[in-house]
Amino acid sequence: MSFQPSPVKLADTGKRPLLTDNFSRKLTYLRLSITDRCNLRCRYCMPQSSFSWMPSENILRFEEIYEICRAFCSLGMKKIRFTGGEPLVRRGLPDLIRKISALSGLDEVCLTTNGTLLGDYARELKDAGITHINISLDTLDRDTYASITGADMFEQVWASIMKVIELGFPKIKINAVVIKGVTDAGIYDLAKLALKYPIDVRFIEFMPVGDHIPWSPDSMIPCDTIREMLEQRIGKLTAVEHHAGAGPAMLYRHEKAPGLIGFISPLSHHFCGTCNRLRVTADGKLRLCLFSDNEIDIKTPLRQGVKGRELEDFFVKAASMKPEGYHALGKKQVSCAKRMSSIGG
Ligand code: SAM
Ligand code: SF4
């Protein structure tokens, strides 16, 4: 989608109104993919044979990412998440996080990681200002882990989980993609982590994202079914009242469990009506909806010198173009052509 900065200037009143789209949704959550590269090859995201990296000059530089975050924070962003690819393969990330955490108005500075390198960086990341950590882990079985990710690194991920618990991050979540015949047998052991440790375990429906992954309707298990399967084995789960910070996850509590169990169901129950997200891809495109491949180029204007108030105006105009939801895109079901690793999930 080609887009020029808006000629409309908002009144210069100091504090600006919250970024709001044409459907009165307040956009307070920014997800930034800071690299498309990764040290794993999860078969549902980045299968071994099917990709090449973006040229490094196309990837946003740290000073560009900072300017994007600064502009969005001026527009009332409350939560920023760093994701990828694998964000921890990009050198210098803790320094960037330290600068961004210092921006005013942010309540949450979050990281989504595969956990393989997290043990080495956890303390530095906490000191830099990360408040919320999501670790992607689809199984507790070492062999299944290696077959899904292409790497025998389960032990490293487990050590990272223990490390972040020990360091006491305010919120730790494990995200698991459920794929029929691949990871469904392991959902019980994963769920039991929330019964033992102060971490939330969330199950995600396998999504058809990217044109290269082995998705079929049969490979996806709807979240309602996953919940019923769990209840039969581990006992009753009681719905937790939905609060703003929970995002798209439906959360449940098991009696006496320190953590919650959640379900993210983009296919079986869409959550477009309450979507508060914007995404920036690794190559500097503003993505208004995960499932819409219409993107707005931010990198070119940034490299042409657009910054400060002008960049904020650009984002105000761009936000007004956020679609009502994927159903409004004329799609029968969620899907997108771009890879998850450049969008960031
Ligand atoms: N590398 C990091 C990680 O794995 O956490 C961050 C990037 S990864 C693209 C972000 C999230 O997207 C992960 O939790 C991953 O499981 C999820 N994901 C990737 N492909 C998916 C798919 N086809 N369906 C559902 N979730 C997917
Ligand atoms: Fe890498 Fe994350 Fe994609 Fe797995 S899901 S290949 S860890 S970016």
Side-chain angles (χ1 to χ4, degrees):
M1 188 186 290
S2 77
F3 179 70
Q4 290 302 312
S6 165
V8 182
K9 289 270 186 283
L10 298 185
D12 200 351
T13 54
K15 187 130 183 78
R16 310 194 68 170
L18 284 183
L19 198 57
T20 306
D21 71 10
N22 285 348
F23 303 94
S24 304
R25 293 173 298 197
K26 294 194 170 35
L27 306 177
T28 55
Y29 177 14
L30 179 67
R31 295 176 65 97
L32 281 161
S33 173
I34 62 159
T35 177
D36 67 327
R37 289 163 204 229
C38 187
N39 56 343
L40 298 184
R41 299 286 178 276
C42 301
R43 58 166 92 165
Y44 51 75
C45 175
M46 212 186 267
Q48 303 271 3
S49 57
S50 70
F51 67 97
S52 52
W53 304 127
M54 292 171 173
S56 50
E57 66 272 19
N58 288 2
I59 303 292
L60 285 178
R61 302 168 192 139
F62 277 174
E63 58 273 25
E64 293 165 342
I65 294 173
Y66 177 81
E67 179 57 18
I68 290 168
C69 292
R70 188 213 55 73
F72 274 122
C73 285
S74 302
L75 295 166
M77 221 31 98
K78 301 264 174 259
K79 171 172 173 179
I80 292 182
R81 176 174 303 280
F82 297 92
T83 171
E86 173 48 40
L88 293 175
V89 301
R90 188 150 174 191
R91 261 181 293 171
L93 181 62
D95 283 342
L96 176 71
I97 289 172
R98 191 168 295 110
K99 288 188 186 117
I100 289 174
S101 306
L103 290 168
S104 69
L106 278 180
D107 296 333
E108 296 177 25
V109 183
C110 317
L111 179 74
T112 296
T113 169
N114 63 30
T116 54
L117 306 170
L118 180 60
D120 296 339
Y121 289 104
R123 189 177 295 277
E124 211 182 335
L125 290 166
K126 186 153 189 278
D127 292 345
I130 289 289
T131 56
H132 291 52
I133 294 249
N134 287 6
I135 299 169
S136 304
L137 180 64
D138 308 319
T139 176
L140 297 185
D141 179 79
R142 183 175 168 174
D143 293 337
T144 310
Y145 179 88
S147 104
I148 296 168
T149 63
D152 182 14
M153 297 184 83
F154 172 76
E155 299 300 337
Q156 287 88 325
V157 182
W158 184 252
S160 296
I161 293 171
M162 293 300 117
K163 180 86 181 177
V164 293
I165 293 174
E166 178 198 318
L167 288 172
F169 278 84
K171 194 63 163 171
I172 305 165
K173 297 176 196 161
I174 290 184
N175 287 336
V177 180
V178 182
I179 305 176
K180 196 184 274 177
V182 180
T183 62
D184 49 344
I187 59 174
Y188 312 100
D189 289 340
L190 279 167
K192 283 182 195 157
L193 295 179
L195 312 193
K196 185 167 179 194
Y197 299 103
I199 53 185
D200 294 355
V201 177
R202 308 185 315 165
F203 296 97
I204 307 174
E205 288 173 351
F206 180 27
M207 291 184 266
V209 178
D211 51 13
H212 57 293
I213 61 164
W215 188 92
S216 72
D218 287 346
S219 60
M220 191 284 276
I221 306 182
C223 277
D224 288 348
T225 309
I226 302 170
R227 183 167 48 77
E228 284 162 21
M229 289 162 67
L230 286 177
E231 285 194 305
Q232 280 170 16
R233 282 269 198 108
I234 66 169
K236 187 168 169 43
L237 296 173
T238 306
V240 173
E241 202 177 329
H242 198 265
H243 62 93
M250 300 303 299
L251 296 173
Y252 290 78
R253 187 178 289 290
H254 186 278
E255 199 189 8
K256 296 191 186 133
L260 299 174
I261 296 180
F263 302 92
I264 302 178
S265 50
L267 284 92
S268 61
H269 302 285
H270 74 75
F271 28 77
C272 307
T274 54
C275 182
N276 62 350
R277 299 166 177 216
L278 290 174
R279 293 175 167 80
V280 174
T281 65
D283 57 343
K285 307 276 168 44
L286 184 67
R287 198 168 171 102
L288 300 166
C289 168
L290 173 59
F291 300 113
S292 168
D293 290 311
N294 284 336
E295 296 177 334
I296 295 169
D297 179 15
I298 314 176
K299 184 173 79 241
T300 305
L302 270 172
R303 290 187 183 175
Q304 287 168 345
V306 172
K307 57 184 181 182
R309 204 73 175 179
E310 202 182 355
L311 188 63
E312 294 163 30
D313 291 346
F314 182 102
F315 289 151
V316 170
K317 174 111 180 279
S320 73
M321 297 161 77
K322 185 172 166 73
E324 188 178 6
Y326 72 83
H327 54 289
L329 302 168
K331 293 192 173 190
K332 291 205 176 67
Q333 66 164 40
V334 298
S335 67
C336 64
K338 197 157 182 169
R339 289 166 192 286
M340 199 67 134
S341 50
S342 61
I343 303 170

